[in-house]
Amino acid sequence: MSDLSIAPKEVEGHGLLADKVVLVTAAAGTGIGSTTARRALLEGADVVVSDYHERRLNETRDELAGLGLGRVEAVVCDVTSTEAVDALIARSVEQMGRLDVLVNNAGLGGETPLVDMTDDEWDRVLNVTLTSVMRATRAALRYFREVDRRSRSGGDISRGGVIVNNASVLGWRAQHSQSHYAAAKAGVMALTRCSAIEAVEYGVRINAVSPSIARHKFLEKSASSELLDRLSSDEAFGRAAEPWEIATTIAFLASDYSSYLTGEVISVSSQRA
């Protein structure tokens, strides 16, 4: 009998994203974003990675390019700026020739009881975690709409696009000192559902993943080890997810294997959603 408390070996790529161009926001470092970019490469895609931290972003780009799997480009972007996000989509298309998949991974957490929370704390978390997803989704949909118009005028209606958002089980559940983050992630879920209905017109699917807990070094900076240990032990498997276990679900949602899924939020969790 296998021990589910021990993380399995990462699965090999199966070409799920072959010949696609994938853009991942907040992809610097070793978290879900960079792991998703690596998974996209393993699945046959070319990748654009983006982040606000230029040095870490360039390091991530070089590391991903070093895998020798596909083309990797990097674009610095502050997701709290509409101008920067619009430029990110335009630059990605300019560099790669097209865009097939957008993964909205940007998010900002923290632990503050509501009674002690400032307006600035609330606004910053909502801006980075929710409004940035709106900005990037809006910019990508404008691109996909134009592609759809050109395709239809040329008699080709096969083109489309995919957007995958990174939400959280806190969009469904309560946790102490997480009012701002939970509200933002619940907003990401609602945005996913509503924008998906609109995006169908352009042949675009929009879904979200909702991880419970995936531990990496940047998460350790925003939450105490004691809390993360407790949350990990509460999982049915007795451990946190590995970032690649979230990334494989994102790759599935980005692929043609999920062609009938849109407006859905998939819980990546080994306990109740």
Side-chain angles (χ1 to χ4, degrees), residues 57-67 72:
L57 177 64
N58 289 335
E59 290 173 353
T60 298
R61 177 201 58 201
D62 293 345
E63 181 179 338
L64 292 171
L67 297 174
V72 182

Side-chain angles (χ1 to χ4, degrees), residues 71 82 92 112 115 118-119 163 168 176 214 219 243 251:
R71 182 178 172 187
T82 294
S92 298
T112 305
V115 70
T118 66
D119 284 3
I163 298 174
S168 166
H176 195 283
L219 181 62

